[in-house]
Amino acid sequence: MQTNRKIIVILLFALTLLLTGKAQIVGQIKNELVYVERMDPGTIDPITFSSLEARRVVEILFGALYTFDEDRKRIPEFAQDYPELSSDNMSCRVRIKPGLRWSDGKPLTADDVIFTYQAVMNPESDSPHRELFNYVENIQKIDSLTIQVNFIKPVKGPERYLMFFIAPRHLFMSTKVNKMLTYCKKPQVTNGGYVYERSNPTKYILRKNEFYRGRGVPQIENIAMYVHTDTRAHVSNLNSGLYNMVPFVPPSYLAEARNNSRLVVKPYSSNSVQSIVLNCQHPFLKFNEVRQALNLAINRQDLLSSFYGNNGELLSGPFPSMHRGYNPDVKPYPFNPRLAVNILKELGFRDTDGDSVLEKDGQPFRLRFLVPYTQDATLDHLFRSIAEQLKNIGIDVQLKPMIGANFEYNVNMRNFDIVYYDWYMQNQASPYPMFISTEARLGGKNIAMYQNDLVDSLLIQAETQPDLEFQTKIFQELHKILHEEAPWIFLWHLEHHAAYYRYIKGVSIEPFNFFTTIENWFIR
């Protein structure tokens, strides 16, 4: 019996050690989400944010009247219910939930919603979001918790136009909001599930907002966002435990992420169009035949396969196949450099001095190719490959890498001949600002400086057309015309992948707003 008791005591002691050890291991998993971006987000307020990295942070920090749920259905967030639509569909009223507060305890009211609208629409504001209100004539205050939204045309489902992030009126002196304001870089008062706490050039710290009453009480206590420009290190740092989520896994590192059984690798739509925008004011690029020749010179399929493992689809116009504006009868330009050379020869381009560069009227065919500076080896090789393919038909392409704000400035000032460009689309977005003639100006959205009366007419019709079926037909016609006119070289629409540890639960990813449902995520 004595011996048996000793054995039992030893076994119990061993079990205690095992359980204690396990508890220590579990205890090492903090209730914290740690993720990484390849660029500093810059401004992270609802008025001036512009990059995809910034949008992800803004999604965490701020809320809207309406948002998406896990099934991508539009649901109220700060609105008490769905809008009350007028009988003529020209206006609606929205009641804000009573008792909502900013993270400093101030009440969230109709004044905040109206201020956000006015600040975004103020031409002196540094806001890239005016197209959000293309359908809105004005927003009026009925009482402290009720607004009336008046539209420029009859609408259906008015909540789709009320999904903009709301800014705090009491922290701004006027509706003129510029990126240099301290609040825009460090918004220490927010209304979303989390509050900005502090940041440095390589790390942002966000903590749970105790006042948030939108989608529910956030379950993850803290969020840390690292900035690491070298994407080659993102997956290795994920594997080592420095991060527990990577929102974008470079295609060349997908296999490494999938080989880690502790990780979930989740695909999602990039909701973007990768392209090369052509400056139509260039003396050669103003001719659509020349633009078509450039399209024929680029081997899209080979590039998509080599650099992205075919994780995407080739584009024939501004709309990917998931968009209702996609025209299935329009096919991507084939790779046909011989035809490209013949087109240029018919237009009078010749290599008269034997330097392998074509000339016309004594002017060599040279293009400044503006690209974002990045430590992403995949992108760097892609840019060089595109330049080489254009050189193969006699065009001297000079790569011009620019970092962050300098890249954006040179795009706005049109200091390029061709530029690599990502168009991140809202759900079923209109290409209106990208191709309308009124935006063909310095600082405007039409960075190709492309002007076409028929395209203008179709874009305006689509903007004022309440019939979605008819609007779809207009978009499909635009898809065809923009393919033929070729002010952009439409490359591809990519499928992206996120990777995260399996102990992060409840994850759903809305393509454009990655962290839409962050309040429902939890760590087990």
Side-chain angles (χ1 to χ4, degrees):
M1 287 295 294
Q2 188 87 12
T3 303
N4 288 340
R5 282 201 192 99
K6 285 182 179 180
I7 292 173
I8 291 171
V9 169
I10 291 170
L11 289 173
L12 287 173
F13 181 66
L15 181 60
T16 302
L17 287 176
L18 179 62
L19 290 175
T20 304
K22 186 174 182 181
Q24 289 172 346
I25 291 169
V26 172
Q28 290 173 7
I29 300 175
K30 297 180 180 179
N31 191 9
E32 181 179 40
L33 178 70
V34 183
Y35 75 100
V36 63
E37 297 285 9
R38 62 181 174 179
M39 292 175 58
D40 185 277
T43 57
I44 51 175
D45 68 287
I47 311 298
T48 70
F49 78 90
S50 58
S51 68
L52 184 62
E53 292 80 9
R55 187 175 190 92
R56 287 201 265 255
V57 181
V58 170
E59 180 73 19
I60 295 171
L61 295 176
F62 293 92
L65 291 171
Y66 298 92
T67 187
F68 286 115
D69 66 8
E70 291 81 357
D71 299 318
R72 304 203 74 240
K73 176 186 175 184
R74 292 183 179 90
I75 61 170
E77 184 174 13
F78 294 153
Q80 193 166 23
D81 207 337
Y82 288 94
E84 298 175 10
L85 192 59
S86 63
S87 58
D88 60 0
N89 290 12
M90 290 291 292
S91 67
C92 72
R93 288 196 177 188
V94 177
R95 175 81 175 166
I96 298 169
K97 291 177 182 176
L100 295 179
R101 295 188 177 277
W102 292 90
S103 58
D104 62 356
K106 301 284 187 182
L108 192 156
T109 68
D111 292 328
D112 297 306
V113 178
I114 293 171
F115 167 79
T116 303
Y117 165 71
Q118 292 174 342
V120 169
M121 297 304 291
N122 188 334
E124 294 185 280
S125 290
D126 295 330
S127 179
H129 308 298
R130 294 184 182 92
E131 65 269 19
L132 293 174
F133 299 108
N134 282 345
Y135 289 73
V136 175
E137 183 176 5
N138 57 55
I139 302 179
Q140 299 173 330
K141 178 180 176 180
I142 304 302
D143 58 45
S144 64
L145 291 178
T146 310
I147 60 169
Q148 177 166 312
V149 184
N150 299 307
F151 298 101
I152 62 172
K153 65 182 185 67
V155 301
K156 296 178 181 179
E159 61 272 11
R160 66 183 298 190
Y161 307 105
L162 301 173
M163 301 182 73
F164 55 92
F165 301 113
I166 300 171
R169 178 182 181 275
H170 64 285
L171 291 181
F172 291 89
M173 296 183 66
S174 76
T175 59
K176 177 184 175 181
V177 179
N178 66 69
K179 293 180 178 181
M180 300 308 294
L181 293 176
T182 300
Y183 181 85
C184 295
K185 297 177 182 295
K186 300 179 177 181
Q188 294 179 330
V189 175
T190 64
N191 58 17
Y194 292 84
V195 178
Y196 168 90
E197 187 169 279
R198 65 184 186 277
S199 65
N200 60 43
T202 61
K203 191 176 183 181
Y204 285 67
I205 302 297
L206 318 174
R207 58 177 171 79
K208 185 164 71 171
N209 178 8
E210 301 297 338
F211 286 102
Y212 179 72
R213 295 295 181 270
R215 302 173 60 94
V217 178
Q219 300 184 63
I220 295 175
E221 289 293 329
N222 301 299
I223 298 177
M225 187 268 281
Y226 281 85
V227 178
H228 198 316
T229 56
D230 187 356
T231 58
R232 294 171 296 182
H234 287 188
V235 172
S236 60
N237 287 342
L238 178 69
N239 286 330
S240 69
L242 179 60
Y243 322 131
N244 55 21
M245 169 172 274
V246 173
F248 171 69
V249 178
S252 55
Y253 292 89
L254 272 173
E256 182 181 346
R258 286 171 172 150
N259 285 337
N260 187 340
S261 61
R262 298 174 296 164
L263 300 179
V264 175
V265 178
K266 192 164 192 172
Y268 63 98
S269 168
S270 65
N271 253 21
S272 67
V273 168
Q274 276 74 39
S275 59
I276 300 168
V277 177
L278 312 180
N279 189 338
C280 295
Q281 291 187 323
H282 187 280
F284 297 155
L285 299 180
K286 65 182 179 181
F287 300 107
N288 73 305
E289 295 91 348
V290 175
R291 301 194 296 263
Q292 289 172 354
L294 266 62
N295 270 274
L296 292 165
I298 294 177
N299 191 340
R300 292 170 176 76
Q301 184 60 68
D302 183 64
L303 295 174
L304 181 63
S305 175
S306 299
F307 294 103
Y308 296 106
N310 280 323
N311 287 301
E313 64 171 324
L314 298 183
L315 293 173
S316 59
F319 304 118
S321 59
M322 66 176 188
H323 196 288
R324 56 191 170 86
Y326 171 74
N327 190 329
D329 297 328
V330 179
K331 306 303 179 186
Y333 278 92
F335 176 53
N336 195 335
R338 181 176 297 180
L339 178 57
V341 170
N342 289 338
I343 290 172
L344 293 176
K345 283 183 178 179
E346 288 178 5
L347 294 171
F349 288 89
R350 298 286 188 277
D351 177 14
T352 58
D353 54 9
D355 64 352
S356 300
V357 178
L358 296 173
E359 304 103 30
K360 181 177 169 62
D361 300 328
Q363 297 297 317
F365 200 159
R366 289 198 172 94
L367 297 176
R368 295 168 298 163
F369 187 9
L370 180 64
V371 299
Y373 174 79
T374 172
Q375 292 183 351
D376 185 336
T378 299
L379 277 178
D380 289 343
H381 291 153
L382 172 64
F383 299 150
R384 288 198 293 270
S385 295
I386 291 172
E388 283 298 321
Q389 291 184 359
L390 293 175
K391 287 179 182 179
N392 288 339
I393 65 166
I395 301 173
D396 181 21
V397 178
Q398 302 167 350
L399 282 171
K400 299 290 183 182
M402 292 280 177
I403 193 167
N406 290 334
F407 176 81
E408 187 175 331
Y409 174 81
N410 279 275
V411 170
N412 287 333
M413 293 296 104
R414 310 303 188 251
N415 293 330
F416 65 87
D417 300 320
I418 62 176
V419 57
Y420 179 81
Y421 190 75
D422 279 0
W423 174 36
Y424 288 96
M425 301 180 296
Q426 289 278 12
N427 185 41
Q428 301 298 305
S430 166
Y432 180 93
M434 319 306 292
F435 299 103
I436 193 76
S437 294
T438 54
E439 287 290 324
R441 53 183 171 76
L442 296 185
K445 292 280 189 178
N446 185 346
I447 63 176
M449 304 297 279
Y450 169 73
Q451 299 184 58
N452 181 299
D453 290 342
L454 176 57
V455 169
D456 284 350
S457 174
L458 291 171
L459 287 169
I460 292 169
Q461 285 184 59
E463 285 295 293
T464 57
Q465 178 53 246
D467 187 325
L468 288 181
E469 186 175 342
F470 187 54
Q471 187 187 64
T472 296
K473 291 180 180 178
I474 295 173
F475 280 161
Q476 290 177 339
E477 181 64 20
L478 281 167
H479 188 101
K480 177 182 177 182
I481 294 172
L482 292 172
H483 168 85
E484 294 169 351
E485 288 279 297
W488 291 20
I489 298 174
F490 299 103
L491 296 173
W492 41 67
H493 164 255
L494 295 177
E495 182 177 65
H496 284 176
H497 293 80
Y500 55 91
Y501 278 86
R502 294 186 181 278
Y503 57 74
I504 304 176
K505 305 294 184 181
V507 175
S508 64
I509 298 173
E510 200 275 318
F512 196 73
N513 304 321
F514 189 92
F515 291 114
T516 297
T517 62
I518 183 66
E519 291 84 14
N520 295 339
W521 299 11
F522 62 97
I523 291 175
R524 179 174 293 168

